[in-house]
Amino acid sequence: MVSQASRLADVRYDIRGPVLQRARELEAQGHEIIKLNIGNPAPFGLFSPDAVLEHVTASVAGSQGYSDARGILEAREAVTRYYTRRGVHGVTPDHVYLGNGVSELIVMSLQALLNPGDEVLVPSPDYPLWTGAVSLCGGRAVHYRCAEDLDWNPDVEHVASLVTPRTRALVIINPNNPTGAVYSRQTLLALLDIARRHDLLVLADEIYDQILFDGSVHYHVAELAPDLPILTLGGMSKTYRLAGFRSGWLVVTGPREPIAEYLEGLELLGNMRMCPNVPAQHAIPAALDGGIDITPLLLPGGRLRDQRDHAWELLTAIPGVECYKPAGALYLFPRLDPEVHKISDDQRMCIDLLEQQHVLLTHGTGFNLPSTDHLRVVFLAPVETLADAIGRLGTFLATYRQ
Ligand code: PLP
C-alpha cells in the first residue's frame, strides 16, 4: 500500500473535486455538460491574437536550452516595462521571476516563507489555491471576510482583528476570483497599513488587473505602497488568453534588505526547478509590448461585457437569487437567499444540478466561504450558452429542496 503524505491531509481544492469528478462520469456516459466552472478562455473561443502566437512559434527553435532560472531576460524586461508604464516604480528585471503560471509562483512564494504553524491572512472567499498552498507549506490560512454588502471589499477591521504574533503575510486578490470585486483605493490603503504596522509580507495576486468593467479602476498595491516589500503576481492566462501556456510572473518591489534572506530562499526554489517552460516565456514580450489590448472585449458591445450583463440579468431574474454585478474578472457569484432556497450542502446542490440539468457550476464553500448560499458562474461562454445554462439553473431551483 502506498499512503499519501500527511502534509496533504488539510489541503483542500474542492473546485476540482467531487463535482468535477461527477461531471467526468456523466460525460463518459455520453451526456453533454455545459461547463461554467473554470476560467479558461480558449475553450470558449477566446484566443490570443495571432501576433503573440507567431512570436512564440518563431522562438521555438531557439528555446531548446534551459533559460536563466528566473526566466529569459527579454520577458523579464517586458514585465518591468509593463509595471513601470502602470505607475509602479523601482521594478528591475533582477526582481522579476517567471513561472509556469501564477499557480507555480504562489506555491513557491509560500514554500520559501512558511514555517509550521505560521499564519497567512487569506480572503474569504478566495481563489482556493492560496488556502491550499498555505496548508501544503505547513502554514495556517486565517480567512478574513470580504463583505457582500461592501461590494465584496475586505472588511478591514476584521482583517486587523486576525493578526497574531504568528502572522507572516497578507494575501490580496484584486480583482477577485470568485466575487469579481475590484477593491477601492481606500480599502487597499487600509490593508497596506495593517501590513505596515505588523511587518507582513504582502502577496498581491493581480492576474485580472486589466479585466475591468464600467470604468472601474484597478490600483496596484505596489504603486500604493512603495515603502513595503510586496510580491505582485500576474500572467498570461486571462487577459492574454493563454492559460495552457502556463506562463506567469512574480515581481518584487519595495525595500529588498528586510527580505533579503527570503529572496535567497525564493531563488533557491527557482533554481531547483531549473527554469520555467522557455517557449511560453516568449509570449510575454509579444503580449506586453505588442499593444495587445483586451478593452474591446470589455466595453459596451464587447463580448465579455455582453456576456457578463446577460448572465447577471438572467441570474437576478430567478426568484431568490441576488448578485453583485462584477466590476472585474470573469465570474458571477450569486447568492441564493436562504429564506427561499434552504441549502445546507452546496457541493451536494452542485452535484444534483449536474445530474438533473447537466450544468457544471462551482459551490461557494469551494472558495472557502463559510456559508452554503453561493455559487460561482464563469461568464466566458457565449450568450446563448449562458442563457441555456442559467435557464436550466432556474428550472432546477424552482423545485429543488434539501
Ligand atoms: N490566481 C487567480 C486569482 C486565479 O483566478 C487563477 C486562475 O483561475 C490563478 C491565479 C492561476 O493562474 P495561472 O493560470 O497563471 O496559474
mmCIF file of all heavy atoms in Angstrom, residues 340-385:
data_model
loop_
_atom_site.group_PDB
_atom_site.id
_atom_site.type_symbol
_atom_site.label_atom_id
_atom_site.label_comp_id
_atom_site.label_asym_id
_atom_site.label_seq_id
_atom_site.Cartn_x
_atom_site.Cartn_y
_atom_site.Cartn_z
ATOM 1 N N VAL A 340 -35.519 31.541 0.717
ATOM 2 C CA VAL A 340 -36.191 30.926 -0.433
ATOM 3 C C VAL A 340 -35.581 29.549 -0.743
ATOM 4 O O VAL A 340 -36.293 28.570 -0.973
ATOM 5 C CB VAL A 340 -36.073 31.852 -1.676
ATOM 6 C CG1 VAL A 340 -36.826 31.265 -2.873
ATOM 7 C CG2 VAL A 340 -36.549 33.257 -1.351
ATOM 8 N N HIS A 341 -34.263 29.511 -0.753
ATOM 9 C CA HIS A 341 -33.555 28.263 -1.099
ATOM 10 C C HIS A 341 -32.763 27.820 0.122
ATOM 11 O O HIS A 341 -31.721 28.415 0.428
ATOM 12 C CB HIS A 341 -32.599 28.493 -2.269
ATOM 13 C CG HIS A 341 -33.253 29.119 -3.462
ATOM 14 N ND1 HIS A 341 -34.093 28.429 -4.295
ATOM 15 C CD2 HIS A 341 -33.205 30.388 -3.946
ATOM 16 C CE1 HIS A 341 -34.520 29.245 -5.250
ATOM 17 N NE2 HIS A 341 -33.995 30.437 -5.056
ATOM 18 N N LYS A 342 -33.238 26.809 0.786
ATOM 19 C CA LYS A 342 -32.553 26.372 2.020
ATOM 20 C C LYS A 342 -31.516 25.315 1.647
ATOM 21 O O LYS A 342 -31.831 24.153 1.496
ATOM 22 C CB LYS A 342 -33.563 25.807 3.012
ATOM 23 C CG LYS A 342 -34.512 26.867 3.536
ATOM 24 C CD LYS A 342 -35.402 26.334 4.635
ATOM 25 C CE LYS A 342 -36.307 27.429 5.165
ATOM 26 N NZ LYS A 342 -37.102 28.117 4.106
ATOM 27 N N ILE A 343 -30.288 25.779 1.465
ATOM 28 C CA ILE A 343 -29.225 24.877 1.021
ATOM 29 C C ILE A 343 -28.280 24.633 2.204
ATOM 30 O O ILE A 343 -27.635 25.566 2.679
ATOM 31 C CB ILE A 343 -28.418 25.500 -0.147
ATOM 32 C CG1 ILE A 343 -29.338 25.981 -1.278
ATOM 33 C CG2 ILE A 343 -27.351 24.532 -0.648
ATOM 34 C CD1 ILE A 343 -30.160 24.912 -1.940
ATOM 35 N N SER A 344 -28.196 23.397 2.653
ATOM 36 C CA SER A 344 -27.279 23.120 3.769
ATOM 37 C C SER A 344 -25.963 22.542 3.257
ATOM 38 O O SER A 344 -24.948 22.606 3.937
ATOM 39 C CB SER A 344 -27.925 22.177 4.775
ATOM 40 O OG SER A 344 -28.399 21.037 4.094
ATOM 41 N N ASP A 345 -25.989 21.966 2.036
ATOM 42 C CA ASP A 345 -24.772 21.370 1.474
ATOM 43 C C ASP A 345 -24.673 21.850 0.022
ATOM 44 O O ASP A 345 -25.341 21.316 -0.870
ATOM 45 C CB ASP A 345 -24.889 19.837 1.566
ATOM 46 C CG ASP A 345 -23.665 19.125 0.997
ATOM 47 O OD1 ASP A 345 -22.869 19.768 0.282
ATOM 48 O OD2 ASP A 345 -23.518 17.918 1.253
ATOM 49 N N ASP A 346 -23.842 22.867 -0.195
ATOM 50 C CA ASP A 346 -23.813 23.465 -1.544
ATOM 51 C C ASP A 346 -23.079 22.590 -2.556
ATOM 52 O O ASP A 346 -23.367 22.640 -3.753
ATOM 53 C CB ASP A 346 -23.286 24.912 -1.510
ATOM 54 C CG ASP A 346 -21.893 25.054 -0.941
ATOM 55 O OD1 ASP A 346 -21.352 24.075 -0.390
ATOM 56 O OD2 ASP A 346 -21.330 26.168 -1.039
ATOM 57 N N GLN A 347 -22.151 21.765 -2.074
ATOM 58 C CA GLN A 347 -21.482 20.833 -3.009
ATOM 59 C C GLN A 347 -22.490 19.806 -3.522
ATOM 60 O O GLN A 347 -22.532 19.483 -4.709
ATOM 61 C CB GLN A 347 -20.317 20.141 -2.304
ATOM 62 C CG GLN A 347 -19.606 19.152 -3.212
ATOM 63 C CD GLN A 347 -18.267 18.724 -2.647
ATOM 64 O OE1 GLN A 347 -17.285 19.448 -2.693
ATOM 65 N NE2 GLN A 347 -18.231 17.534 -2.084
ATOM 66 N N ARG A 348 -23.332 19.331 -2.598
ATOM 67 C CA ARG A 348 -24.392 18.382 -2.970
ATOM 68 C C ARG A 348 -25.320 19.043 -4.000
ATOM 69 O O ARG A 348 -25.718 18.421 -4.988
ATOM 70 C CB ARG A 348 -25.155 17.987 -1.701
ATOM 71 C CG ARG A 348 -26.295 17.030 -1.831
ATOM 72 C CD ARG A 348 -25.802 15.612 -2.105
ATOM 73 N NE ARG A 348 -26.185 15.205 -3.454
ATOM 74 C CZ ARG A 348 -25.681 14.179 -4.105
ATOM 75 N NH1 ARG A 348 -24.736 13.435 -3.564
ATOM 76 N NH2 ARG A 348 -26.074 13.871 -5.311
ATOM 77 N N MET A 349 -25.638 20.317 -3.751
ATOM 78 C CA MET A 349 -26.527 21.021 -4.686
ATOM 79 C C MET A 349 -25.914 21.044 -6.093
ATOM 80 O O MET A 349 -26.607 20.818 -7.092
ATOM 81 C CB MET A 349 -26.779 22.451 -4.215
ATOM 82 C CG MET A 349 -27.591 23.256 -5.223
ATOM 83 S SD MET A 349 -27.894 24.931 -4.708
ATOM 84 C CE MET A 349 -26.255 25.553 -4.539
ATOM 85 N N CYS A 350 -24.598 21.302 -6.166
ATOM 86 C CA CYS A 350 -23.963 21.363 -7.495
ATOM 87 C C CYS A 350 -23.971 19.990 -8.170
ATOM 88 O O CYS A 350 -24.136 19.903 -9.394
ATOM 89 C CB CYS A 350 -22.542 21.911 -7.373
ATOM 90 S SG CYS A 350 -22.557 23.698 -7.205
ATOM 91 N N ILE A 351 -23.817 18.950 -7.369
ATOM 92 C CA ILE A 351 -23.875 17.601 -7.962
ATOM 93 C C ILE A 351 -25.302 17.312 -8.446
ATOM 94 O O ILE A 351 -25.511 16.786 -9.549
ATOM 95 C CB ILE A 351 -23.381 16.549 -6.952
ATOM 96 C CG1 ILE A 351 -21.876 16.741 -6.716
ATOM 97 C CG2 ILE A 351 -23.673 15.120 -7.448
ATOM 98 C CD1 ILE A 351 -21.265 15.867 -5.645
ATOM 99 N N ASP A 352 -26.299 17.710 -7.653
ATOM 100 C CA ASP A 352 -27.692 17.488 -8.061
ATOM 101 C C ASP A 352 -28.026 18.286 -9.326
ATOM 102 O O ASP A 352 -28.698 17.783 -10.231
ATOM 103 C CB ASP A 352 -28.639 17.853 -6.907
ATOM 104 C CG ASP A 352 -28.504 16.874 -5.736
ATOM 105 O OD1 ASP A 352 -28.068 15.726 -5.958
ATOM 106 O OD2 ASP A 352 -28.819 17.258 -4.592
ATOM 107 N N LEU A 353 -27.525 19.531 -9.387
ATOM 108 C CA LEU A 353 -27.753 20.359 -10.580
ATOM 109 C C LEU A 353 -27.142 19.684 -11.812
ATOM 110 O O LEU A 353 -27.754 19.613 -12.888
ATOM 111 C CB LEU A 353 -27.134 21.750 -10.362
ATOM 112 C CG LEU A 353 -27.081 22.670 -11.576
ATOM 113 C CD1 LEU A 353 -28.482 23.105 -12.010
ATOM 114 C CD2 LEU A 353 -26.230 23.915 -11.294
ATOM 115 N N LEU A 354 -25.963 19.188 -11.615
ATOM 116 C CA LEU A 354 -25.252 18.499 -12.698
ATOM 117 C C LEU A 354 -26.044 17.278 -13.169
ATOM 118 O O LEU A 354 -26.231 17.072 -14.380
ATOM 119 C CB LEU A 354 -23.899 18.089 -12.116
ATOM 120 C CG LEU A 354 -22.836 17.503 -12.995
ATOM 121 C CD1 LEU A 354 -22.487 18.457 -14.114
ATOM 122 C CD2 LEU A 354 -21.605 17.215 -12.138
ATOM 123 N N GLU A 355 -26.513 16.495 -12.226
ATOM 124 C CA GLU A 355 -27.216 15.262 -12.594
ATOM 125 C C GLU A 355 -28.566 15.560 -13.240
ATOM 126 O O GLU A 355 -28.954 14.909 -14.205
ATOM 127 C CB GLU A 355 -27.385 14.370 -11.361
ATOM 128 C CG GLU A 355 -26.047 13.767 -10.976
ATOM 129 C CD GLU A 355 -26.077 12.934 -9.716
ATOM 130 O OE1 GLU A 355 -27.087 12.992 -8.992
ATOM 131 O OE2 GLU A 355 -25.068 12.244 -9.467
ATOM 132 N N GLN A 356 -29.251 16.579 -12.710
ATOM 133 C CA GLN A 356 -30.600 16.843 -13.228
ATOM 134 C C GLN A 356 -30.589 17.698 -14.497
ATOM 135 O O GLN A 356 -31.413 17.520 -15.378
ATOM 136 C CB GLN A 356 -31.433 17.557 -12.154
ATOM 137 C CG GLN A 356 -31.741 16.662 -10.965
ATOM 138 C CD GLN A 356 -32.511 17.413 -9.878
ATOM 139 O OE1 GLN A 356 -33.260 18.333 -10.158
ATOM 140 N NE2 GLN A 356 -32.321 17.016 -8.640
ATOM 141 N N GLN A 357 -29.645 18.650 -14.570
ATOM 142 C CA GLN A 357 -29.700 19.627 -15.677
ATOM 143 C C GLN A 357 -28.434 19.661 -16.532
ATOM 144 O O GLN A 357 -28.347 20.453 -17.476
ATOM 145 C CB GLN A 357 -29.949 21.033 -15.104
ATOM 146 C CG GLN A 357 -31.312 21.203 -14.449
ATOM 147 C CD GLN A 357 -32.450 21.185 -15.464
ATOM 148 O OE1 GLN A 357 -32.254 21.420 -16.654
ATOM 149 N NE2 GLN A 357 -33.648 20.876 -14.988
ATOM 150 N N HIS A 358 -27.442 18.889 -16.156
ATOM 151 C CA HIS A 358 -26.192 18.829 -16.920
ATOM 152 C C HIS A 358 -25.503 20.187 -17.053
ATOM 153 O O HIS A 358 -25.000 20.554 -18.125
ATOM 154 C CB HIS A 358 -26.424 18.192 -18.295
ATOM 155 C CG HIS A 358 -26.926 16.785 -18.180
ATOM 156 N ND1 HIS A 358 -27.565 16.120 -19.183
ATOM 157 C CD2 HIS A 358 -26.877 15.903 -17.156
ATOM 158 C CE1 HIS A 358 -27.894 14.906 -18.781
ATOM 159 N NE2 HIS A 358 -27.481 14.750 -17.544
ATOM 160 N N VAL A 359 -25.528 20.932 -15.960
ATOM 161 C CA VAL A 359 -24.816 22.212 -15.897
ATOM 162 C C VAL A 359 -23.795 22.117 -14.775
ATOM 163 O O VAL A 359 -24.128 21.699 -13.661
ATOM 164 C CB VAL A 359 -25.788 23.377 -15.602
ATOM 165 C CG1 VAL A 359 -25.018 24.688 -15.428
ATOM 166 C CG2 VAL A 359 -26.799 23.517 -16.733
ATOM 167 N N LEU A 360 -22.555 22.496 -15.090
ATOM 168 C CA LEU A 360 -21.477 22.399 -14.102
ATOM 169 C C LEU A 360 -21.112 23.793 -13.580
ATOM 170 O O LEU A 360 -20.572 24.623 -14.306
ATOM 171 C CB LEU A 360 -20.251 21.737 -14.763
ATOM 172 C CG LEU A 360 -18.992 21.601 -13.911
ATOM 173 C CD1 LEU A 360 -19.246 20.806 -12.635
ATOM 174 C CD2 LEU A 360 -17.883 20.911 -14.717
ATOM 175 N N LEU A 361 -21.442 24.035 -12.307
ATOM 176 C CA LEU A 361 -21.071 25.279 -11.628
ATOM 177 C C LEU A 361 -20.232 24.903 -10.413
ATOM 178 O O LEU A 361 -20.077 23.727 -10.087
ATOM 179 C CB LEU A 361 -22.321 26.056 -11.186
ATOM 180 C CG LEU A 361 -23.320 26.438 -12.278
ATOM 181 C CD1 LEU A 361 -24.484 27.212 -11.666
ATOM 182 C CD2 LEU A 361 -22.652 27.274 -13.365
ATOM 183 N N THR A 362 -19.728 25.914 -9.715
ATOM 184 C CA THR A 362 -18.897 25.627 -8.539
ATOM 185 C C THR A 362 -19.574 26.196 -7.297
ATOM 186 O O THR A 362 -20.094 27.320 -7.316
ATOM 187 C CB THR A 362 -17.489 26.225 -8.722
ATOM 188 O OG1 THR A 362 -17.010 25.838 -10.006
ATOM 189 C CG2 THR A 362 -16.539 25.706 -7.648
ATOM 190 N N HIS A 363 -19.536 25.414 -6.232
ATOM 191 C CA HIS A 363 -20.196 25.798 -4.973
ATOM 192 C C HIS A 363 -19.340 26.798 -4.200
ATOM 193 O O HIS A 363 -18.110 26.712 -4.196
ATOM 194 C CB HIS A 363 -20.457 24.550 -4.126
ATOM 195 C CG HIS A 363 -19.264 23.663 -3.974
ATOM 196 N ND1 HIS A 363 -18.677 22.996 -5.030
ATOM 197 C CD2 HIS A 363 -18.514 23.363 -2.885
ATOM 198 C CE1 HIS A 363 -17.640 22.320 -4.612
ATOM 199 N NE2 HIS A 363 -17.510 22.522 -3.311
ATOM 200 N N GLY A 364 -20.006 27.705 -3.497
ATOM 201 C CA GLY A 364 -19.300 28.776 -2.774
ATOM 202 C C GLY A 364 -18.325 28.275 -1.730
ATOM 203 O O GLY A 364 -17.247 28.870 -1.552
ATOM 204 N N THR A 365 -18.655 27.197 -1.039
ATOM 205 C CA THR A 365 -17.727 26.723 0.007
ATOM 206 C C THR A 365 -16.414 26.222 -0.613
ATOM 207 O O THR A 365 -15.402 26.145 0.080
ATOM 208 C CB THR A 365 -18.352 25.617 0.888
ATOM 209 O OG1 THR A 365 -18.811 24.572 0.041
ATOM 210 C CG2 THR A 365 -19.510 26.147 1.719
ATOM 211 N N GLY A 366 -16.436 25.906 -1.909
ATOM 212 C CA GLY A 366 -15.196 25.531 -2.598
ATOM 213 C C GLY A 366 -14.188 26.674 -2.622
ATOM 214 O O GLY A 366 -13.002 26.471 -2.869
ATOM 215 N N PHE A 367 -14.687 27.899 -2.353
ATOM 216 C CA PHE A 367 -13.802 29.076 -2.310
ATOM 217 C C PHE A 367 -13.592 29.543 -0.863
ATOM 218 O O PHE A 367 -13.344 30.715 -0.606
ATOM 219 C CB PHE A 367 -14.410 30.213 -3.148
ATOM 220 C CG PHE A 367 -14.648 29.811 -4.583
ATOM 221 C CD1 PHE A 367 -15.883 29.350 -4.991
ATOM 222 C CD2 PHE A 367 -13.622 29.855 -5.510
ATOM 223 C CE1 PHE A 367 -16.105 28.948 -6.304
ATOM 224 C CE2 PHE A 367 -13.829 29.457 -6.821
ATOM 225 C CZ PHE A 367 -15.070 29.004 -7.219
ATOM 226 N N ASN A 368 -13.751 28.591 0.042
ATOM 227 C CA ASN A 368 -13.543 28.881 1.469
ATOM 228 C C ASN A 368 -14.478 29.954 2.004
ATOM 229 O O ASN A 368 -14.109 30.752 2.863
ATOM 230 C CB ASN A 368 -12.071 29.248 1.734
ATOM 231 C CG ASN A 368 -11.165 28.076 1.407
ATOM 232 O OD1 ASN A 368 -11.264 27.033 2.042
ATOM 233 N ND2 ASN A 368 -10.335 28.217 0.393
ATOM 234 N N LEU A 369 -15.686 29.957 1.465
ATOM 235 C CA LEU A 369 -16.740 30.802 2.034
ATOM 236 C C LEU A 369 -17.384 29.986 3.153
ATOM 237 O O LEU A 369 -17.677 28.807 2.954
ATOM 238 C CB LEU A 369 -17.768 31.112 0.938
ATOM 239 C CG LEU A 369 -18.812 32.158 1.292
ATOM 240 C CD1 LEU A 369 -18.184 33.556 1.219
ATOM 241 C CD2 LEU A 369 -20.001 32.094 0.334
ATOM 242 N N PRO A 370 -17.634 30.573 4.330
ATOM 243 C CA PRO A 370 -18.176 29.755 5.418
ATOM 244 C C PRO A 370 -19.651 29.369 5.222
ATOM 245 O O PRO A 370 -20.100 28.372 5.773
ATOM 246 C CB PRO A 370 -18.007 30.635 6.667
ATOM 247 C CG PRO A 370 -17.794 32.015 6.173
ATOM 248 C CD PRO A 370 -17.274 31.930 4.770
ATOM 249 N N SER A 371 -20.400 30.155 4.425
ATOM 250 C CA SER A 371 -21.827 29.847 4.283
ATOM 251 C C SER A 371 -22.072 29.046 2.998
ATOM 252 O O SER A 371 -21.260 29.046 2.079
ATOM 253 C CB SER A 371 -22.633 31.146 4.257
ATOM 254 O OG SER A 371 -22.199 31.947 3.185
ATOM 255 N N THR A 372 -23.240 28.390 2.954
ATOM 256 C CA THR A 372 -23.531 27.471 1.839
ATOM 257 C C THR A 372 -24.507 28.094 0.834
ATOM 258 O O THR A 372 -25.265 27.389 0.173
ATOM 259 C CB THR A 372 -24.157 26.172 2.392
ATOM 260 O OG1 THR A 372 -25.285 26.551 3.199
ATOM 261 C CG2 THR A 372 -23.171 25.386 3.223
ATOM 262 N N ASP A 373 -24.509 29.419 0.718
ATOM 263 C CA ASP A 373 -25.557 30.081 -0.065
ATOM 264 C C ASP A 373 -25.041 30.761 -1.341
ATOM 265 O O ASP A 373 -25.704 31.663 -1.857
ATOM 266 C CB ASP A 373 -26.292 31.101 0.829
ATOM 267 C CG ASP A 373 -25.323 32.067 1.526
ATOM 268 O OD1 ASP A 373 -24.095 31.889 1.360
ATOM 269 O OD2 ASP A 373 -25.785 32.973 2.232
ATOM 270 N N HIS A 374 -23.862 30.350 -1.825
ATOM 271 C CA HIS A 374 -23.356 30.990 -3.050
ATOM 272 C C HIS A 374 -22.916 29.956 -4.087
ATOM 273 O O HIS A 374 -22.559 28.825 -3.757
ATOM 274 C CB HIS A 374 -22.163 31.896 -2.734
ATOM 275 C CG HIS A 374 -22.568 33.202 -2.109
ATOM 276 N ND1 HIS A 374 -22.922 33.299 -0.795
ATOM 277 C CD2 HIS A 374 -22.691 34.449 -2.634
ATOM 278 C CE1 HIS A 374 -23.233 34.553 -0.523
ATOM 279 N NE2 HIS A 374 -23.102 35.273 -1.621
ATOM 280 N N LEU A 375 -22.910 30.429 -5.326
ATOM 281 C CA LEU A 375 -22.442 29.630 -6.463
ATOM 282 C C LEU A 375 -21.539 30.503 -7.305
ATOM 283 O O LEU A 375 -21.720 31.718 -7.336
ATOM 284 C CB LEU A 375 -23.620 29.304 -7.376
ATOM 285 C CG LEU A 375 -24.621 28.269 -6.955
ATOM 286 C CD1 LEU A 375 -25.818 28.346 -7.906
ATOM 287 C CD2 LEU A 375 -23.981 26.893 -7.066
ATOM 288 N N ARG A 376 -20.593 29.895 -8.014
ATOM 289 C CA ARG A 376 -19.816 30.701 -8.951
ATOM 290 C C ARG A 376 -20.152 30.292 -10.382
ATOM 291 O O ARG A 376 -20.142 29.104 -10.717
ATOM 292 C CB ARG A 376 -18.314 30.552 -8.736
ATOM 293 C CG ARG A 376 -17.542 31.585 -9.577
ATOM 294 C CD ARG A 376 -16.056 31.351 -9.573
ATOM 295 N NE ARG A 376 -15.708 30.147 -10.321
ATOM 296 C CZ ARG A 376 -14.473 29.794 -10.631
ATOM 297 N NH1 ARG A 376 -13.458 30.539 -10.228
ATOM 298 N NH2 ARG A 376 -14.236 28.693 -11.310
ATOM 299 N N VAL A 377 -20.432 31.314 -11.194
ATOM 300 C CA VAL A 377 -20.758 31.100 -12.604
ATOM 301 C C VAL A 377 -19.686 31.807 -13.428
ATOM 302 O O VAL A 377 -19.497 33.020 -13.294
ATOM 303 C CB VAL A 377 -22.146 31.701 -12.938
ATOM 304 C CG1 VAL A 377 -22.486 31.481 -14.404
ATOM 305 C CG2 VAL A 377 -23.229 31.136 -12.026
ATOM 306 N N VAL A 378 -18.996 31.078 -14.285
ATOM 307 C CA VAL A 378 -17.995 31.679 -15.180
ATOM 308 C C VAL A 378 -18.744 32.238 -16.388
ATOM 309 O O VAL A 378 -19.544 31.529 -16.999
ATOM 310 C CB VAL A 378 -16.990 30.584 -15.628
ATOM 311 C CG1 VAL A 378 -16.018 31.132 -16.652
ATOM 312 C CG2 VAL A 378 -16.251 30.012 -14.422
ATOM 313 N N PHE A 379 -18.482 33.502 -16.724
ATOM 314 C CA PHE A 379 -19.250 34.058 -17.865
ATOM 315 C C PHE A 379 -18.433 34.151 -19.160
ATOM 316 O O PHE A 379 -18.625 35.067 -19.968
ATOM 317 C CB PHE A 379 -19.942 35.377 -17.492
ATOM 318 C CG PHE A 379 -19.060 36.518 -17.063
ATOM 319 C CD1 PHE A 379 -18.339 37.247 -17.992
ATOM 320 C CD2 PHE A 379 -18.968 36.870 -15.721
ATOM 321 C CE1 PHE A 379 -17.542 38.308 -17.606
ATOM 322 C CE2 PHE A 379 -18.176 37.932 -15.316
ATOM 323 C CZ PHE A 379 -17.456 38.656 -16.271
ATOM 324 N N LEU A 380 -17.570 33.176 -19.390
ATOM 325 C CA LEU A 380 -16.784 33.154 -20.631
ATOM 326 C C LEU A 380 -17.571 32.613 -21.830
ATOM 327 O O LEU A 380 -17.193 32.848 -22.981
ATOM 328 C CB LEU A 380 -15.536 32.289 -20.430
ATOM 329 C CG LEU A 380 -14.386 32.921 -19.631
ATOM 330 C CD1 LEU A 380 -13.375 31.864 -19.228
ATOM 331 C CD2 LEU A 380 -13.701 34.020 -20.439
ATOM 332 N N ALA A 381 -18.631 31.865 -21.553
ATOM 333 C CA ALA A 381 -19.364 31.206 -22.652
ATOM 334 C C ALA A 381 -20.177 32.238 -23.435
ATOM 335 O O ALA A 381 -20.554 33.282 -22.898
ATOM 336 C CB ALA A 381 -20.293 30.142 -22.076
ATOM 337 N N PRO A 382 -20.487 31.929 -24.715
ATOM 338 C CA PRO A 382 -21.337 32.829 -25.495
ATOM 339 C C PRO A 382 -22.708 33.005 -24.830
ATOM 340 O O PRO A 382 -23.152 32.143 -24.061
ATOM 341 C CB PRO A 382 -21.493 32.106 -26.839
ATOM 342 C CG PRO A 382 -20.410 31.083 -26.876
ATOM 343 C CD PRO A 382 -20.047 30.755 -25.467
ATOM 344 N N VAL A 383 -23.357 34.121 -25.171
ATOM 345 C CA VAL A 383 -24.625 34.492 -24.534
ATOM 346 C C VAL A 383 -25.664 33.355 -24.607
ATOM 347 O O VAL A 383 -26.352 33.069 -23.627
ATOM 348 C CB VAL A 383 -25.148 35.783 -25.208
ATOM 349 C CG1 VAL A 383 -26.610 36.002 -24.917
ATOM 350 C CG2 VAL A 383 -24.322 36.981 -24.757
ATOM 351 N N GLU A 384 -25.761 32.682 -25.770
ATOM 352 C CA GLU A 384 -26.787 31.632 -25.912
ATOM 353 C C GLU A 384 -26.520 30.490 -24.927
ATOM 354 O O GLU A 384 -27.454 29.925 -24.345
ATOM 355 C CB GLU A 384 -26.804 31.023 -27.329
ATOM 356 C CG GLU A 384 -26.791 32.022 -28.484
ATOM 357 C CD GLU A 384 -25.417 32.638 -28.719
ATOM 358 O OE1 GLU A 384 -24.495 31.889 -29.049
ATOM 359 O OE2 GLU A 384 -25.273 33.884 -28.577
ATOM 360 N N THR A 385 -25.246 30.154 -24.752
ATOM 361 C CA THR A 385 -24.904 29.061 -23.828
ATOM 362 C C THR A 385 -25.213 29.480 -22.391
ATOM 363 O O THR A 385 -25.750 28.692 -21.604
ATOM 364 C CB THR A 385 -23.405 28.707 -23.959
ATOM 365 O OG1 THR A 385 -23.106 28.541 -25.334
ATOM 366 C CG2 THR A 385 -23.059 27.451 -23.183
#
